[in-house]
């Protein structure tokens, strides 16, 4: 067993005198007791030279408590939250990205080669605006003039209409030669847009009026009239067949010719077919 040596205490005369002076100062003073002398009063003002002594066990306890306080302050606040171990408290993808290292991004070739475009605009000058206004005014004037012409046109004709012929066709026996002969009787009739009587024809109005006399009802449209028949080759074409063009039609007159109502200011006439953009249609087959 280890032997502990008893620590010897040394006496300090000055410390003993000071202690006695303090005790004397704290003792109750009676009126009859003698007052302390000056030396005793001075001794009471001397600071105590006794120091606080701690043993080894006290030092260990102080160090343990200090370490516990420091460790508690170092723990994050969320460590104390109940249930913080659940998945909802886990690290998010955004948080992981903030902690990620350098990353690389691949861009496909089609993105790299994507064309770059920019907006563009056209400025309109004052002269162009004025020209557009003049064109609009001219178109309106032409419309009014055509309306007035149709009014006078209707008033100038009192003969049978397309409807009259369809109700009682004068030529019930249909054949191409007869159709062409009737059509030639209207050569010289002026062109009138929308016209469908001998007072004035447009292209499809002319064809419609002639075929109505044979009991054939047609729309007032070149495209619609072309859809009514069967396409045939030009080698098989005969006078009385129809020549269909984009937006225009007439009667085939033989030898590459057409009988038609051509345009405003002209009259029904026969002339060579001037374009290759056409086909031949026969009605009744």
């Amino acid at each position: 067993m280890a032997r502990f040596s008893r620590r010897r205490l040394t006496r300090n005369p000055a410390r003993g005198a000071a202690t006695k002076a303090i005790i004397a100062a704290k003792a109750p003073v009676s009126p009859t007791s003698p007052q302390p002398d000056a030396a005793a009063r001075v001794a009471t003002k001397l600071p105590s030279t006794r120091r606080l002594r701690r043993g080894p066990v006290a030092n260990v306890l102080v160090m343990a408590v200090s370490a516990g306080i420091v460790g508690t302050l170092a723990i994050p606040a969320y460590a104390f939250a109940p249930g913080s171990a659940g998945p909802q408290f886990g690290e998010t993808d955004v948080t992981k990205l903030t902690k990620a290292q350098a990353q690389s991004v691949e861009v496909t070739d089609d993105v790299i080669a994507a064309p770059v475009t920019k907006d563009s605009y056209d400025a309109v000058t004052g002269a162009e605006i004025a020209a557009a206004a003049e064109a609009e005014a001219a178109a309106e004037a032409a419309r009014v003039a055509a309306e007035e012409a149709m009014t006078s046109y209707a008033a100038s004709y009192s003969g049978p209409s397309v409807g009259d012929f369809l109700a009682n066709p004068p030529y019930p026996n249909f054949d191409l030669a007869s159709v062409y002969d009737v059509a030639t009787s209207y050569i010289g009739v002026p062109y009138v847009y929308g016209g469908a009587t001998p007072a004035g024809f447009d292209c499809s109005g002319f064809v419609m009026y002639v075929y109505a006399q044979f009991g054939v009802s047609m729309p007032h449209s070149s495209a619609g009239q072309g859809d009514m028949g069967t396409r045939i080759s030009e080698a098989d074409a005969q006078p009385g067949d129809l020549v269909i063009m984009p937006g225009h039609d007439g009667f085939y007159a033989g030898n590459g010719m057409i009988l038609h109502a051509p345009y405003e200011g002209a009259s029904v006439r026969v002339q060579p077919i001037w374009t290759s953009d056409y086909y031949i249609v026969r009605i009744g087959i």
Side-chain angles (χ1 to χ4, degrees):
M1 295 180 63
R3 298 181 61 184
F4 296 94
S5 59
R6 181 175 297 177
R7 186 175 181 182
R8 297 180 62 184
L9 300 177
T10 58
R11 293 182 177 275
N12 190 333
R15 183 183 301 167
T19 302
K20 291 180 180 180
I22 292 172
I23 295 172
K26 292 182 178 181
V29 179
S30 62
T32 58
S33 61
Q35 297 293 326
D37 55 8
R41 288 196 300 268
V42 173
T44 60
K45 297 180 180 180
L46 295 176
S48 173
T49 59
R50 185 178 181 181
R51 292 179 299 176
L52 179 63
R53 296 181 180 274
R54 291 193 302 265
V57 176
N59 291 335
V60 172
L61 290 175
V62 170
M63 292 177 65
V65 172
S66 300
I69 294 173
V70 173
T72 301
L73 294 176
I75 297 176
Y78 60 78
F80 294 96
S84 60
Q88 66 272 27
F89 294 97
E91 192 174 31
T92 64
D93 293 338
V94 176
T95 305
K96 292 178 182 178
L97 288 175
T98 60
K99 300 178 181 179
Q101 301 301 320
Q103 303 178 29
S104 61
V105 178
E106 295 183 0
V107 180
T108 59
D109 294 337
D110 57 344
V111 174
I112 296 175
V116 178
T117 60
K118 61 180 181 179
D119 295 334
S120 61
Y121 64 92
D122 296 327
V124 180
T125 64
E128 292 173 334
I129 295 175
E134 291 177 0
E136 183 177 356
E140 178 61 18
R143 185 194 66 79
V144 172
E147 186 174 315
E148 293 175 351
M150 285 300 296
T151 302
S152 62
Y153 157 79
S156 64
Y157 179 72
S158 59
S161 65
V162 170
D164 296 333
F165 284 141
L166 291 175
N168 187 21
Y171 309 105
N173 297 322
F174 171 76
D175 64 272
L176 291 176
S178 298
V179 169
Y180 185 75
D181 287 342
V182 170
T184 57
S185 66
Y186 298 106
I187 292 176
V189 172
Y191 179 96
V192 175
Y193 179 79
T197 71
F201 291 121
D202 63 9
C203 63
S204 59
F206 174 42
V207 174
M208 179 176 65
Y209 190 83
V210 171
Y211 266 98
Q213 299 179 51
F214 294 86
V216 178
S217 177
M218 286 186 167
H220 197 162
S221 163
S222 59
Q225 292 171 359
D227 292 339
M228 288 185 60
T230 302
R231 291 194 187 192
I232 62 174
S233 66
E234 187 171 358
D236 296 330
Q238 299 178 19
D241 288 328
L242 298 185
V243 179
I244 306 298
M245 303 175 183
H248 188 71
D249 69 345
F251 295 97
Y252 183 70
N255 299 320
M257 308 285 281
I258 184 174
L259 170 62
H260 67 140
Y263 47 82
E264 190 75 39
S267 301
V268 174
R269 68 190 182 189
V270 177
Q271 71 176 74
I273 299 174
W274 61 92
T275 178
S276 60
D277 189 9
Y278 71 93
Y279 56 92
I280 306 297
V281 167
R282 179 164 293 173
I283 302 298
I285 60 173

